[in-house]
Amino acid sequence: MPNQFALDVTKIRDEARQRMEEGPVTATYGGDTNPVLDILNQVVATEIVCYLRYTQNSIAASGIDSFQVATEFQKHAAEELQHALRAADRIDQLGGVANFDPEGLARRAITEYSAPAATDLKSMLQENLVAERIVISAYQEIIRWIGDADPTTRRLMEKILEEEEDHANDLTDLLGV
């Protein structure tokens, strides 16, 4: 076979011992962690904003179908919070610090926080669907940008993207579109 797979195990072991302070970021990491950390902090901010919007909507929802919709909003809120925490964990793994500072949270987010002026369920569903569609497009671009340079972050973003697409599908079903 012309291209046989081979590892220089001695070199890998030596580098692992010499650079232990870098934790899980090894010499084989495929890129610069700084832009990845910046993007992941945008993801953290985005997911927190989505968590806050869904939580507010679940509390404010009223009307004949409000229980079903509020329950779905609560479920989505919990998942958005988990997305933020998973992105924050990845930031920590890469040697960064997750930015949970409320000051500027909305500026760092990809989506907007828009509390409804009323408790109109249709408006809430529509605004959340728009936010999910924004996140889906942005996360697809992030995944393409990461490529093969950081497979762990790419898989994390792919998993979050899958859940965001599920949210958009749930909202579409509730809207009946």
Side-chain angles (χ1 to χ4, degrees):
M1 293 182 153
N3 281 333
Q4 287 188 327
F5 180 75
L7 285 176
D8 185 345
V9 176
T10 303
K11 179 181 175 188
I12 292 171
R13 289 176 182 161
D14 289 343
E15 285 182 2
R17 285 185 176 85
Q18 292 169 5
R19 299 170 74 175
M20 286 190 312
E21 73 281 354
E22 295 179 24
V25 180
T26 64
T28 57
Y29 182 83
D32 179 3
T33 59
N34 289 324
V36 175
L37 293 170
D38 290 342
I39 287 169
L40 286 171
N41 266 312
Q42 284 184 333
V43 170
V44 168
T46 299
E47 296 297 330
I48 291 171
V49 166
C50 291
Y51 162 76
L52 293 171
R53 186 181 53 256
Y54 275 123
T55 299
Q56 190 282 334
N57 287 182
S58 74
I59 293 166
S62 66
I64 194 161
D65 296 320
S66 65
F67 180 77
Q68 177 188 9
V69 174
T71 300
E72 195 66 31
F73 287 163
Q74 290 168 0
K75 177 183 160 222
H76 288 196
E79 290 171 350
E80 302 292 2
L81 181 58
Q82 285 307 306
H83 297 166
L85 295 175
R86 289 176 12 219
D89 283 342
R90 184 61 182 152
I91 290 168
D92 183 62
Q93 289 171 354
L94 293 173
V97 177
N99 187 348
F100 284 94
D101 186 350
E103 184 70 34
L105 188 66
R107 271 193 321 275
R108 294 189 307 273
I110 296 166
T111 60
E112 298 171 319
Y113 178 86
S114 53
T119 57
D120 174 46
L121 293 180
K122 185 174 181 181
S123 295
M124 288 179 187
L125 289 164
Q126 288 172 333
E127 282 302 310
N128 281 300
L129 180 55
V130 167
E132 293 294 355
R133 290 176 51 78
I134 291 167
V135 166
I136 289 166
S137 292
Y139 290 4
Q140 288 170 340
E141 289 298 320
I142 290 168
I143 291 163
R144 280 191 274 279
W145 177 79
I146 292 170
D148 293 332
D150 182 345
T152 303
T153 301
R154 186 189 67 237
R155 283 192 311 272
L156 168 68
M157 292 304 302
E158 288 170 344
K159 180 63 177 159
I160 292 172
L161 172 62
E162 178 184 346
E163 293 170 8
E164 300 295 2
E165 289 173 341
D166 187 50
H167 292 175
N169 189 60
D170 293 343
L171 296 168
T172 301
D173 288 348
L174 287 167
L175 280 166
V177 292

